[in-house]
Amino acid sequence: MWLRAITILVLIASTTSKKLVDLSERGLKKEDFFMRIQSQINLQEVTDLILRKNEFDSFLDCSTNLANLEILDLSQNHLQRFFFLCKDEYNLRVLNVSHNKLEYIDDNAFNDRIPKLKILDLSSNKLSIVNETMLEHFKILEYLTLANNPINDGIHENAFWNLKALRYLNLSNVSSSYFSSEFFKTLTNLSTLDLSTNPISKVPSLPVNLEELDLSNTHISRLRDVYLPRLRELKLNNMQNLRELLLNDFENLTSLEILSLDDSRTLMSLKMIPYNDRLLPRLQRLSVSNCGLRTLDYNLMSIIKRTPILSFENNPWHCDCKMQWLNMLNATKALSRQIKCRTPEQHSNRQLNEIPSHELECEDDATMLHPVLWACIFILVVAIVLAAGFFLLRRPLGHWDIRRKNRDTVTYTNVDESSNDLVRILAANETVERNDE
């Protein structure tokens, strides 16, 4: 939004300005401009000076007369330094020195001679530090971008404190792993903040008046306790560590209209636990394309039904019974046309809306039953083998018992026979004794 506004502002300024001079892509060096070109042009009347895509390695205001200059574009040159030294105060409102070779900006570049500056583009340079005095004179600055500089942790915590009118701040790809809450402490008018493409793993403390926030391509895995009641757009594209998005974390984003999660390949699921039908009441666009989603939970129905624009293309969808509810609701027919099934095999490359509901079967239960069934069969086989082994081992023991019993019988018989003999002997003795008597 801000980029469009700036383009319109520049175009309006160009059409209403007294004089625009565009010397883009001329291969000019500073000597060509200051010694030859300016003798042919009355630079004192120029309000918009465009020197983009030339070969300037420096720019010194003392070499020319820029009394009425409001817009200066020195982008895509070879600038290593520039100065504003020779006039007490300039009317400069827009300064673009992006895509140069600036490593450091001293006090002779940004000073109290350009207090009317509203738009400053320092992106795509070689800046490694933003100290506490570098931006202190820009009391009415509204737009600032430091994107694509190897700043790392070189931003002083007070660097932005005087920028109380700032509305747009771009800190994308500055290699910072941490943003102190002090950075944004005084930025009460800040509405757009871009922290994308930085190795941060935690959302810093942010101004509550933010309306647009870009955290794309960061290491954040969860957005917990984020209180931004005025936020309208949140970008979480190409997230590397975001595997599961719990939408309940957005309960304080009551004004959110656009939520983008595109190209977050590790994102496997969207969840709402517990169910909350009042979540994201103003959402107008939800985009989760080119991610890792396999299914959509039924709890998301309230959000999906009331969101006018949905984008869920190019996810590895698994079309089973858990996706039936999408075909049943008229409000989601457009969404079901976007869902192209990857699995199971019988539905591969088919759109969800083309598959009859009775064909959307869940295989999870059967899949879980198979190993249980095989385990039961295995246990049964083992039990049968053990029983058979036990039976076979008992047979020789039985034979041994029979043999032992046979020996006992023989012994018993011998004893019995001996006893009978003893009876007969005793009986014979008694007979002899009676005869003697």
Side-chain angles (χ1 to χ4, degrees):
M1 183 185 74
W2 257 96
L3 292 175
R4 291 195 298 271
I6 289 168
T7 303
I8 293 171
L9 176 62
V10 171
L11 288 173
I12 293 173
S14 299
T15 55
T16 60
S17 61
K18 293 180 180 179
K19 191 169 185 180
L20 165 66
V21 174
D22 189 347
L23 299 172
S24 301
E25 301 183 64
R26 302 289 184 90
L28 298 176
K29 296 183 178 180
K30 62 182 179 182
E31 294 83 5
D32 298 325
F33 176 75
F34 291 121
M35 298 178 64
R36 181 170 56 86
I37 300 295
Q38 76 168 348
S39 63
Q40 304 171 11
I41 301 173
N42 185 5
L43 291 177
Q44 186 173 355
E45 298 179 358
V46 174
T47 57
D48 303 0
L49 180 58
I50 313 300
L51 298 170
R52 183 174 56 248
K53 290 188 177 180
N54 283 293
E55 299 180 12
F56 285 74
D57 60 0
S58 65
F59 186 88
L60 179 61
D61 66 320
C62 298
S63 301
T64 188
N65 188 344
L66 303 173
N68 293 308
L69 192 65
E70 294 183 5
I71 297 175
L72 176 59
D73 188 346
L74 289 163
S75 62
Q76 300 184 59
N77 278 275
H78 306 297
L79 285 183
Q80 298 180 22
R81 57 192 178 276
F82 62 92
F83 305 102
F84 293 95
L85 295 173
C86 296
K87 193 174 184 298
D88 290 339
E89 185 174 308
Y90 285 96
N91 293 318
L92 196 64
R93 294 184 295 110
V94 178
L95 176 60
N96 186 352
V97 288
S98 64
H99 296 88
N100 280 288
K101 298 181 179 180
L102 298 170
E103 296 183 5
Y104 180 75
I105 298 176
D106 61 24
D107 295 338
N108 293 322
F110 291 156
N111 49 44
D112 56 359
R113 292 179 171 86
I114 48 175
K116 298 180 181 180
L117 200 65
K118 287 192 174 184
I119 299 173
L120 175 59
D121 191 342
L122 294 166
S123 61
S124 301
N125 278 285
K126 297 182 179 181
L127 296 176
S128 60
I129 189 169
V130 180
N131 60 35
E132 66 271 32
T133 62
M134 183 173 126
L135 304 168
E136 65 177 344
H137 300 291
F138 301 146
K139 302 292 179 62
I140 64 171
L141 190 70
E142 296 181 3
Y143 176 101
L144 172 64
T145 174
L146 292 159
N148 305 314
N149 280 284
I151 299 175
N152 207 313
D153 297 324
I155 303 177
H156 193 277
E157 65 178 13
N158 300 342
F160 307 131
W161 275 24
N162 287 332
L163 307 180
K164 296 180 181 180
L166 197 66
R167 295 181 57 82
Y168 177 97
L169 177 59
N170 191 338
L171 296 174
S172 173
N173 192 29
V174 295
S175 303
S176 180
S177 59
Y178 174 75
F179 291 104
S180 169
S181 59
E182 297 294 319
F183 287 174
F184 317 111
K185 186 175 182 179
T186 63
L187 305 183
T188 54
N189 288 308
L190 192 67
S191 62
T192 303
L193 177 61
D194 189 342
L195 301 178
S196 63
T197 319
N198 283 293
I200 57 173
S201 56
K202 183 180 179 182
V203 181
S205 179
L206 301 171
V208 294
N209 292 329
L210 273 184
E211 296 181 7
E212 299 178 30
L213 175 62
D214 193 344
L215 296 172
S216 302
N217 196 23
T218 61
H219 295 175
I220 294 171
S221 58
R222 186 170 181 182
L223 285 83
R224 192 178 298 174
D225 302 325
V226 177
Y227 180 71
L228 297 170
R230 296 188 180 182
L231 193 69
R232 295 186 299 102
E233 182 174 359
L234 175 60
K235 295 180 181 179
L236 297 169
N237 302 317
N238 195 23
M239 300 295 283
Q240 302 174 20
N241 295 340
L242 189 64
R243 292 174 174 80
E244 176 182 283
L245 184 64
L246 188 63
L247 292 176
N248 303 76
D249 289 342
F250 298 157
E251 61 181 348
N252 293 321
L253 307 184
T254 52
S255 299
L256 194 65
E257 297 177 3
I258 300 173
L259 175 58
S260 175
L261 296 144
D262 297 336
D263 301 308
S264 298
R265 298 288 185 178
T266 60
L267 181 62
M268 304 293 290
S269 66
L270 299 179
K271 290 187 176 181
M272 188 193 300
I273 304 173
Y275 175 76
N276 183 357
D277 61 353
R278 298 180 181 178
L279 202 65
L280 301 175
R282 298 185 182 180
L283 195 64
Q284 298 296 308
R285 180 183 178 89
L286 175 60
S287 184
V288 198
S289 299
N290 300 307
C291 295
L293 295 182
R294 300 188 74 241
T295 190
L296 286 176
D297 193 88
Y298 182 77
N299 283 348
L300 301 175
M301 181 179 66
S302 61
I303 289 180
I304 288 177
K305 283 183 66 176
R306 66 170 180 261
T307 304
I309 303 175
L310 299 167
S311 180
F312 281 82
E313 295 95 343
N314 299 324
N315 282 279
W317 298 109
H318 181 73
C319 297
D320 61 4
C321 65
K322 296 176 183 177
M323 303 281 276
Q324 283 181 347
W325 66 274
L326 289 167
N327 276 342
M328 294 177 182
L329 298 174
N330 290 332
T332 62
K333 282 186 176 179
L335 174 59
S336 62
R337 284 194 293 268
Q338 295 180 25
I339 295 178
K340 191 173 184 179
C341 308
R342 182 173 298 182
T343 57
E345 186 176 355
Q346 64 266 29
H347 301 320
S348 180
N349 292 321
R350 296 176 68 186
Q351 290 181 338
L352 181 62
N353 68 315
E354 297 175 348
I355 305 173
S357 295
H358 67 272
E359 293 184 15
L360 295 173
E361 299 177 351
C362 281
E363 299 179 357
D364 293 347
D365 296 337
T367 303
M368 292 178 62
L369 183 62
H370 289 163
V372 174
L373 181 61
W374 281 110
C376 292
I377 294 173
F378 176 76
I379 293 172
L380 180 62
V381 170
V382 171
I384 292 172
V385 171
L386 290 176
F390 181 74
F391 176 77
L392 292 175
L393 289 172
R394 281 186 58 84
R395 289 190 62 189
L397 291 175
H399 287 304
W400 183 83
D401 288 342
I402 292 171
R403 286 195 300 269
R404 185 180 64 183
K405 288 178 181 179
N406 290 337
R407 286 197 300 271
D408 290 344
T409 302
V410 172
T411 303
Y412 174 77
T413 301
N414 291 339
V415 171
D416 187 45
E417 289 177 356
S418 300
S419 299
N420 291 336
D421 291 341
L422 181 60
V423 169
R424 286 196 295 270
I425 292 170
L426 289 176
N429 289 336
E430 289 178 357
T431 304
V432 171
E433 289 177 356
R434 288 176 183 173
N435 291 331
D436 288 341
E437 290 177 356

